[in-house]
């Protein structure tokens, strides 16, 4: 199979009249510029690499448009999120996740890391099988998005606190029980990663045992320093910041993705960058929840690889998420252009895929043939330089989305003919019943 595009814009530059050869596994076999279209090519216009959504909680989508009017902070919002989590079951979660993943595809996300912790029934009792995890996996397969399921360990309600009633369905009793359940899942889920919820939800010993018990090639994610209260509790109990604690336990490495990393010390930044970790920034969520603006530029300069995530899915738009990385840095620094368009594209594409365990990024030789086609003549994009399209376009400007060289979305409609808005209406309706 071969794709031909008038223009290919990647983090490494812009090439004209490009043919992308795709092998039988949906990977890029070759990329050739300055070549004419052939009759058997699939012909496209301006193309960007697909975007890896490195941090998602699909069920948070039910809170969009329902939690913004009454003030509060992250901790107030969390109570509303727990109420939503308590109403999930395998059937309504499959319907909801399928709709959310469809929305992601239309918004330019071709891969997603689902940070999943609603494992059990609301009272903490086990399903007969891995029903919740299977529901998420099937939902992704149904619509054609690449899924890395980040199965999450969540063993305490806060530092030194038992799980609350609302958190019972997240827990696995012990690090050993979590590893046992994770190992059972590995034969069932095509791409299985792991996650440590946070230093609030696991003791240092549990963190060490879980990381040591996971295969070395498995990506590991963790929420890190999203709120000052987490740092304060960690310092008071352990005498170390969350980042320092992870460093002491030998957890910092290139396979680790630290999500948010908003409230860091200079030493934290040095440790994360020096270890070559991925840092998943979630700009629209961090703004929506009032978390703060993380030191993305300093982390990248220190050696971290940046990635992006939609997190709570209050906004699902890969273009807006890329743009927000730079816009929030402008607000924090008072300077424009500290992230180039190429750096934002790298974070969204190769950075996101690296975080999800891919050795090569989208549209790299040997990497996934995942791409998005962007209109250059819309009300928003007409006149924009190709390299700066991400600062002009929105998800509304995506015409076709390809995963593995095959079209999965055309003009906002799935290849199956389904409309994501209708899927969302059904998914939200199923959740409400």
């Amino acid at each position: 199979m071969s794709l031909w595009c008038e223009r290919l814009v990647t983090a490494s530059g812009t090439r004209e009249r490009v043919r992308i050869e795709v092998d039988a596994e949906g990977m890029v076999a070759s990329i050739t510029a300055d070549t004419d279209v052939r009759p058997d090519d699939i012909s496209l216009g301006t193309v960007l690499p697909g975007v890896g959504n490195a941090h998602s909680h699909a069920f948070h989508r039910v809170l969009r448009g329902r939690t913004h009017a009454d003030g509060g902070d992250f901790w107030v919002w969390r109570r509303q999120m727990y109420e939503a989590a308590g109403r999930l079951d395998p059937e309504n979660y499959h319907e909801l996740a399928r709709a959310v993943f469809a929305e992601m595809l239309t918004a330019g996300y071709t891969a997603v890391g689902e940070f999943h912790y609603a494992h059990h029934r609301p009272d903490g009792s086990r399903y007969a099988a891995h029903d919740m995890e299977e529901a998420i996996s099937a939902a992704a397969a149904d619509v054609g998005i690449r899924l890395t399921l980040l199965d999450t360990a969540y063993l305490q309600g806060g530092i030194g606190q038992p799980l609350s009633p609302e958190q019972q369905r997240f827990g696995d009793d012990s690090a050993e029980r979590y590893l046992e359940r994770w190992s059972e899942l590995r034969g069932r889920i095509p791409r299985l990663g792991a996650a440590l919820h946070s230093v609030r939800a696991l003791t240092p010993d549990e963190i060490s045992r879980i990381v040591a018990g996971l295969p070395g090639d498995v990506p590991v994610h963790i929420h890190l320093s999203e709120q000052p209260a987490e740092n304060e509790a960690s310092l008071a109990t352990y005498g170390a910041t969350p980042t320092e604690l992870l460093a002491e336990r030998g957890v910092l490495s290139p396979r680790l993705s630290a999500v948010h990393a908003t409230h860091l010390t200079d030493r934290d930044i040095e440790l994360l960058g020096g270890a070559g970790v991925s840092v998943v920034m979630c700009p629209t969520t961090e703004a929506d929840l009032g978390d703060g603006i993380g030191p993305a530029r300093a982390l990248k300069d220190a050696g971290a690889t940046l990635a992006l995530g939609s997190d709570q899915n209050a906004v699902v738009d890969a273009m807006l998420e890329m743009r927000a990385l730079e816009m929030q840095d402008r607000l924090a620094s008072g300077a424009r252009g500290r992230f180039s368009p190429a750096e934002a594209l790298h974070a969204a594409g190769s950075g996101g895929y690296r975080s999800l365990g891919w050795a090569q990024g989208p549209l790299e030789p040997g990497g996934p043939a995942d791409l998005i086609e962007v209109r250059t003549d819309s009300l928003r994009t007409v006149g924009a330089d190709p390299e700066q399209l991400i600062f002009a376009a929105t998800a509304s400007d995506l015409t076709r989305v390809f995963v593995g060289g095959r079209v999965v979305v055309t003009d906002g409609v799935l290849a199956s003919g389904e409309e994501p808005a209708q899927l969302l209406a059904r998914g939200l309706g199923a959740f409400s019943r």
Side-chain angles (χ1 to χ4, degrees):
M1 175 189 303
S2 59
L3 311 174
W4 184 92
C5 55
E6 295 175 4
R7 180 180 296 112
L8 175 61
V9 182
T10 70
S12 60
T14 298
R15 287 167 281 182
E16 305 288 335
R17 299 169 46 244
V18 176
R19 176 173 295 105
I20 304 164
E21 297 283 357
V22 182
D23 68 20
E25 302 301 319
M27 301 296 167
V28 175
S30 66
I31 299 177
T32 307
D34 300 317
T35 185
D36 293 330
V37 63
R38 297 185 311 216
D40 59 340
D41 290 334
I42 297 173
S43 184
L44 300 97
T46 296
V47 165
L48 277 62
V51 176
N53 186 350
H55 189 69
S56 164
H57 301 290
F59 79 87
H60 291 188
R61 173 62 179 81
V62 302
L63 302 177
R64 184 192 297 177
R66 302 182 183 187
T67 65
H68 310 284
D70 301 322
D73 57 12
F74 169 86
W75 305 102
V76 172
W77 172 88
R78 190 177 75 156
R79 291 199 297 271
Q80 298 167 310
M81 181 270 287
Y82 282 168
E83 192 276 333
R87 294 160 61 197
L88 293 170
D89 61 46
E91 291 74 27
N92 66 29
Y93 204 7
H94 174 266
E95 195 84 13
L96 179 61
R98 188 173 187 272
V100 175
F101 293 152
E103 181 181 14
M104 287 180 190
L105 280 173
T106 65
Y109 293 113
T110 48
V112 60
E114 183 62 23
F115 198 106
H116 166 65
Y117 47 81
H119 306 299
H120 311 300
R121 292 187 172 88
D123 64 358
S125 61
R126 288 4 183 197
Y127 288 102
H130 300 280
D131 295 10
M132 296 294 275
E133 292 75 23
E134 296 273 15
I136 296 169
S137 181
D142 284 351
V143 299
I145 197 169
R146 297 187 190 273
L147 171 71
T148 298
L149 183 66
L150 300 165
D151 191 79
T152 304
Y154 197 133
L155 302 180
Q156 61 179 5
I159 294 177
Q161 301 173 15
L163 293 172
S164 68
E166 297 83 3
Q167 296 167 325
Q168 290 299 316
R169 72 181 316 174
F170 309 157
D172 282 307
D173 301 326
S174 68
E176 290 71 25
R177 179 66 186 100
Y178 166 78
L179 288 168
E180 179 184 333
R181 190 178 56 75
W182 188 93
S183 296
E184 292 169 358
L185 272 176
R186 201 171 198 199
R188 294 169 172 261
I189 306 297
R191 292 188 65 87
L192 182 64
L196 313 164
H197 182 272
S198 61
V199 301
R200 290 182 285 110
L202 298 154
T203 67
D205 285 346
E206 289 166 343
I207 289 172
S208 295
R209 291 201 299 274
I210 288 172
V211 173
L214 291 167
D217 61 345
V218 171
V220 179
H221 287 223
I222 186 170
H223 292 125
L224 186 73
S225 293
E226 182 178 4
Q227 292 292 320
E230 177 181 299
N231 294 349
E232 294 161 6
S234 181
L235 283 165
T237 305
Y238 306 122
T241 67
T243 299
E244 290 169 339
L245 182 64
L246 296 180
E248 290 170 4
R249 293 290 171 153
V251 177
L252 300 186
S253 75
R255 76 158 166 165
L256 183 73
S257 290
V259 182
H260 301 302
T262 306
H263 301 281
L264 303 178
T265 66
D266 290 344
R267 177 59 176 159
D268 292 340
I269 294 170
E270 179 184 343
L271 288 169
L272 292 166
V277 304
S278 292
V279 175
V280 185
M281 313 301 293
C282 305
T284 60
T285 285
E286 288 145 11
D288 181 72
L289 297 182
D291 288 344
I293 300 172
R297 182 73 258 176
L299 283 161
K300 181 170 174 55
D301 290 344
T305 296
L306 297 185
L308 296 173
S310 66
D311 193 3
Q312 59 159 333
N313 297 302
V315 175
V316 177
D317 189 321
M319 299 293 147
L320 293 183
E321 211 71 57
M322 281 187 265
R323 192 179 313 170
L325 176 69
E326 160 66 10
M327 295 300 182
Q328 289 197 8
D329 186 80
R330 293 180 187 184
L331 290 173
S333 68
R336 301 177 79 222
R338 298 206 316 151
F339 282 103
S340 68
E343 288 175 315
L345 271 173
H346 185 275
S350 295
Y353 274 62
R354 174 188 188 265
S355 173
L356 299 179
W358 291 89
Q360 302 293 330
L363 295 192
E364 294 177 359
D370 301 347
L371 57 93
I372 53 181
E373 182 185 36
V374 185
R375 287 185 60 186
T376 58
D377 61 351
S378 77
L379 183 63
R380 291 160 295 277
T381 61
V382 66
D385 292 337
E387 293 83 1
Q388 298 185 42
L389 272 173
I390 63 169
F391 290 102
T394 70
S396 299
D397 299 305
L398 305 186
T399 52
R400 283 177 285 184
V401 178
F402 288 72
V403 174
R406 300 185 182 279
V407 66
V408 291
V409 171
T410 301
D411 293 328
V413 178
L414 296 180
S416 64
E418 295 171 295
E419 298 269 0
Q422 294 175 1
L423 294 181
L424 280 164
R426 281 209 306 270
L428 293 169
F431 179 82
S432 300
R433 289 197 288 272

